[in-house]
Amino acid sequence: MTCQARSSYMDTEVLWGHRFTPVLTLEKDFYEVDYNSFHSTYETHTPVCCAKELAQSRREGQLLGHLP
């Protein structure tokens, strides 16, 4: 089976605050792949600012960059 690996993405392809749905499960000592969920994502709590701004706001005791 062939596989494609990507090392970069277009900005329109990135969903901020989302993670991929797990597709691997262990069934009877073998891994099962759920191809129906391969492109599925789910939303997570993610800061609305970059990591540098979040760390700075936490050092300063501000609420900037709070989670939605």
Side-chain angles (χ1 to χ4, degrees):
M1 184 179 287
T2 61
C3 178
Q4 178 185 2
R6 296 179 75 173
S7 59
S8 64
Y9 297 90
M10 302 279 296
D11 60 344
T12 57
E13 296 176 309
V14 176
L15 297 175
W16 184 259
H18 286 248
R19 290 184 178 260
F20 284 105
T21 302
V23 296
L24 288 176
T25 56
L26 187 58
E27 301 286 336
K28 300 178 184 174
D29 296 327
F30 291 96
Y31 282 103
E32 180 84 21
V33 179
D34 179 7
Y35 289 104
N36 293 322
S37 299
F38 200 73
H39 296 286
S40 298
T41 63
Y42 62 94
E43 195 168 358
T44 62
H45 294 291
T46 306
V48 294
C49 62
C50 70
K52 181 180 178 181
E53 291 172 349
L54 182 61
Q56 181 179 356
S57 66
R58 287 183 175 165
R59 279 194 304 273
E60 296 171 358
Q62 299 173 355
L63 295 176
L64 179 74
H66 66 281
L67 295 175

